Amino acid sequence: MILFPAIDLKSGECVRLKRGEMGEATTYNADPAAQACAFADMGFTWLHMVDLDGAFAGESRNGSAVEAVLEAAGDRLKVELGGGIRSMAQIEAWLEKGVTRVILGTAALRDPDLVRQAARQNPGRIAVGIDARNGKVAVEGWAETSDMEAQDLAKSFEDAGVAAIIYTDIDRDGVLAGINWEATIALAEHVSIPVIASGGLASMADIVRLTMPDAESLEGAISGRALYDGRIDPHAALQLLNAL
């Protein structure tokens, strides 16, 4: 069970949003590379990064910050990156720069063939980000909600060789409301692709919840605001999860 600390990038800084609203951003660190090193020092082995500006723009907007993180902590952290990555050229460029896994979100809905091609050419290095509002897939930095059910989109990649599905309940993201366990576990049981829970992880109680038998179907969970605010003790959390 992997606990992924999150770095969301806006204007080159580490921020957290509330329910994906760019106007509801709290800055936690102006130096993403230093924050990544801090996470590595805490004992984390993975880092979840999202270029928020890029997600809205459809292309990289915080590339220099990502590169700084890779240079500073890439030898200690496996980095998964999403946000505005919508072409094979962008995917290959980030993989070559040292990103372990590229996350495709909007592209998964708009251009599923790209996901399949990327996963085929880069085994184990492509994840699909499924962000849902009331069970429906949201895209373009969560600005648009589609008619596609999250479970249906996940199922469509069952045979594509996707390494993981990162499932975010937008209504719980950044508000410390707790993970939507029912929907997340139902998704994990619906597909054979490993599922990572995102959105709402609020306290050590959620870490304990990850150790329950029905959560065994999950690959892990992403922690953002709760980790930055000190609501989760990283050492205690990692000790609990590493014991599984």
Side-chain angles (χ1 to χ4, degrees):
M1 184 71 69
I2 303 168
L3 186 60
F4 298 76
I7 288 181
D8 288 354
L9 297 167
K10 181 176 184 286
S11 301
E13 299 180 334
C14 300
V15 305
R16 297 302 297 167
L17 305 184
K18 289 184 178 180
R19 300 188 178 94
E21 295 294 334
M22 289 291 270
E24 293 282 338
T26 301
T27 300
Y28 282 97
N29 196 327
D31 187 342
Q35 185 63 59
C37 289
F39 284 142
D41 290 342
M42 292 174 194
F44 291 103
T45 57
W46 275 89
L47 175 64
H48 176 82
M49 293 189 75
V50 176
D51 181 344
L52 296 173
D53 299 304
F56 282 93
E59 60 184 16
S60 177
R61 284 288 188 267
N62 287 282
S64 59
V66 176
E67 290 173 8
V69 166
L70 293 171
E71 183 176 350
D75 58 337
R76 295 194 290 161
L77 291 170
K78 296 177 181 177
V79 176
E80 60 177 27
L81 173 68
I85 303 173
R86 315 247 172 107
S87 72
M88 188 60 68
Q90 292 171 328
I91 293 166
E92 297 290 356
W94 281 119
L95 292 177
E96 289 173 7
K97 288 179 180 178
V99 168
T100 301
R101 192 155 68 187
V102 166
I103 306 163
L104 301 177
T106 296
L109 183 69
R110 303 272 198 244
D111 191 0
D113 288 341
L114 173 64
V115 176
R116 295 175 179 278
Q117 180 186 355
R120 186 170 59 250
Q121 293 180 195
N122 303 281
R125 304 190 70 184
I126 303 299
V128 168
I130 298 181
D131 307 325
R133 185 179 282 116
N134 296 321
K136 303 287 189 180
V137 177
V139 294
E140 305 293 349
W142 300 353
E144 298 178 23
T145 302
S146 72
D147 292 326
M148 172 75 77
E149 293 283 346
Q151 285 197 6
D152 292 341
L153 182 59
K155 197 71 175 177
S156 72
F157 293 112
E158 190 74 83
D159 61 348
V162 170
I165 288 172
I166 298 164
Y167 178 73
T168 303
D169 184 325
I170 295 170
D171 291 325
R172 294 181 182 233
D173 189 69
V175 296
L176 303 169
I179 287 171
N180 185 338
W181 295 105
E182 183 179 357
T184 305
I185 291 173
L187 178 64
E189 293 176 347
H190 191 68
V191 296
S192 62
I193 305 167
V195 172
I196 299 167
S198 173
L201 195 144
S203 67
M204 288 299 294
D206 283 324
I207 300 298
V208 172
R209 181 68 181 81
L210 283 168
T211 69
M212 298 295 103
D214 65 343
E216 288 180 359
S217 56
L218 300 177
E219 180 179 89
I222 294 166
S223 178
R225 187 176 293 270
L227 195 56
Y228 286 102
D229 285 348
R231 296 168 186 266
I232 289 175
D233 179 331
H235 302 293
L238 290 171
Q239 187 174 27
L240 263 176
L241 298 179
N242 290 340
L244 294 178

